[in-house]
Amino acid sequence: MTIAIPVSQERISPVLDTAARLLLVTRRRGKEVERKEIVLNPLPAEALANSVAELCVDVLLCAALSESLLRGLEQRGVRVKPHLCGDVE
């Protein structure tokens, strides 16, 4: 399972649509096996949804995102868990 978290100053970024970095955590059998951070370029919602889906993200944890980005991610099979805030860890 790959989990994505938009990051801003080591906290969950307030809005996915404008996030500059995305932390990807891969877990297998309940244990973390890989962690990497990628830089997100400013993109329209459809293109950002495609980029996230191409990273094989299963679940995206975030504070907020636009309705169009939410729909785009869900159409591509990414489960979105919004309304989260705080430290990334």
Side-chain angles (χ1 to χ4, degrees):
M1 168 182 283
T2 300
I3 301 163
I5 306 166
V7 178
S8 176
Q9 298 178 355
E10 307 314 314
R11 294 182 57 82
I12 297 174
S13 183
V15 181
L16 173 61
D17 301 66
T18 59
R21 299 181 298 148
L22 191 65
L23 174 65
L24 299 174
V25 179
T26 302
R27 298 176 55 93
R28 289 197 182 89
R29 298 183 183 168
K31 296 187 182 197
E32 184 178 317
V33 295
E34 183 179 13
R35 178 181 286 231
K36 63 183 173 183
E37 197 171 283
I38 63 163
V39 174
L40 293 174
N41 295 315
L43 296 170
E46 276 298 306
L48 182 53
N50 280 334
S51 293
V52 171
E54 287 172 0
L55 294 168
C56 299
V57 170
D58 298 296
V59 178
L60 184 125
L61 308 176
C62 65
L65 69 164
S66 67
E67 188 65 32
S68 59
L69 182 51
L70 174 62
R71 280 193 313 271
L73 289 167
E74 289 176 338
Q75 289 172 350
R76 290 161 179 81
V78 178
R79 287 183 291 150
V80 178
K81 303 288 184 176
H83 312 296
L84 301 173
C85 61
D87 293 335
V88 169
E89 293 305 318

